[in-house]
Amino acid sequence: MRVLLTGGAGYIGSHTLLKLLQEQNEVLVLDNFSNSSMESLRRVKQLANRDFDFRNGDICNSTLMNDTFNAFKPDAVIHFAGLKAVGESNDKPLDYYTHNVTGSVELLRCMRRHGCKQIVFSSSATVYGEADYLPYDEQHPLRPTNPYGRTKYFVEEIIKDWTASWSEASAVLLRYFNPVGAHDSGRIGEDPLSTPNNLVPFISQVAIGRLDKLNVFGSDYDTRDGTGERDYIHVDDLARAHLSAVHFASKNKACEAINVGTGRGATVLEMVKAFERASGRPIPLNMAARRNGDVAKSIADVSKANRLLDWEAIHNIDDMCRSTWNWQSLNPLGYK
């Protein structure tokens, strides 16, 4: 299969790229490096011992997109490209709507123009908002609470309309919960270009000495230890889910939203303890007030992924923390 990977140099994109190459797919990566590194692509090429096509550019550039589709003629698209920081989206909402929504519309236009009928979209559990019940299943009401989540929700709706208007099209909307971890080799992993927005990369930078301490936002939630509880998923499991989704889209003419998680929750303090076990280093903590917009618990119902994609997560939080520490200790400054 010929697969166009938008945002393929990023954290999840690079791990998915490696899986695609290992399964002997032909791949073209399109990335503008706004939050990624060319070094990740170089390392994937070494790990896979296979080459792939690459274009440096933005999905909002219609000329570039048309040239790319003309030259590569993809059978399917896996769409990662977009801005992804919740806090930043509150400060720069128009940037998020431009890159995430307008860029996705341009991509879908290009796919229709060139007869590319299959898309797997990198969505997010943030589309659910506050829980009416847990675990979240795909029928839960969608009430995103920030601009980032709303861009994911809007693009999901646009893709649903796109597939409804084109009987030959198919789409899988993968709603990620909390991706963490790194490739077992320690060669590729999550490398935030600034202070991490997510828990585990922040913990790993504290452990390696780049940051002084971890701020724990909220210790009075209705959870086992008072700290927020999340469904964390290993990036390797998530990458496998994308391959399963591409295979599903190639055989089914539909648009399906599917949760990707483990179905199990871990609190902030449980993740800290797991990372201390993995690294052998203490993680200094600062207990702080809750942040606006944070929910107490976010856990996935993954039965639909099990049923439709024949997929399930196989890694636990100790695996996630060990692989993260392996990546961070081998690359204390990330890809720099």
Side-chain angles (χ1 to χ4, degrees), residues 86 90 126 129-130 144-146 221 230 290-296:
V86 169
N90 289 314
T126 58
E130 290 285 346
T145 59
N146 54 71
Y221 287 109
R230 300 289 182 269
R290 296 184 186 188
R291 291 182 300 191
N292 288 335
D294 281 350
V295 298

Side-chain angles (χ1 to χ4, degrees), residues 315-327:
H315 294 288
N316 60 33
I317 63 171
D318 287 301
D319 299 329
M320 299 171 201
C321 291
R322 277 194 298 268
S323 64
T324 301
W325 178 241
N326 185 42
W327 150 256

Side-chain angles (χ1 to χ4, degrees), residues 105-125:
V105 168
E106 185 56 48
L107 173 63
L108 293 168
R109 277 202 184 109
C110 211
M111 290 178 66
R112 181 66 186 262
R113 192 177 297 127
H114 294 272
C116 181
K117 305 167 187 175
Q118 302 158 28
I119 185 169
V120 175
F121 174 55
S122 167
S123 191
S124 169

Side-chain angles (χ1 to χ4, degrees), residues 178 199-200 223-225 227-233 262-272 274 277 296-299 316-318 320-321:
N178 294 78
L199 176 65
V200 173
T223 62
R224 289 181 292 279
D225 56 28
T227 63
E229 184 177 354
R230 300 289 182 269
D231 188 333
Y232 295 94
I233 177 172
T262 64
R264 301 180 299 274
T267 68
V268 172
L269 294 184
E270 287 168 347
M271 290 301 288
V272 168
R277 291 194 296 271
K297 298 180 183 180
S298 177
I299 301 170
N316 60 33
I317 63 171
D318 287 301
M320 299 171 201
C321 291

Side-chain angles (χ1 to χ4, degrees), residues 112 156-171 253-255:
R112 181 66 186 262
E156 282 196 11
E157 294 297 302
I158 291 166
I159 291 174
K160 289 176 188 176
D161 290 340
W162 178 80
T163 54
S165 71
W166 189 12
S167 61
E168 297 177 46
S170 58
K253 305 302 181 193
C255 180

Side-chain angles (χ1 to χ4, degrees), residues 2-7 27-31 53-77 106-107 110-111 113-114 116:
R2 298 175 66 80
V3 181
L4 171 62
L5 212 58
T6 73
V27 185
L28 186 149
V29 171
L30 178 69
D31 205 300
D53 293 326
F54 168 73
R55 294 211 173 187
N56 186 342
D58 196 298
I59 57 172
C60 293
N61 184 331
S62 59
T63 300
L64 171 70
M65 295 298 292
N66 276 304
D67 289 347
T68 299
F69 273 80
N70 274 327
F72 185 64
K73 297 179 173 56
D75 301 307
V77 172
E106 185 56 48
L107 173 63
C110 211
M111 290 178 66
R113 192 177 297 127
H114 294 272
C116 181

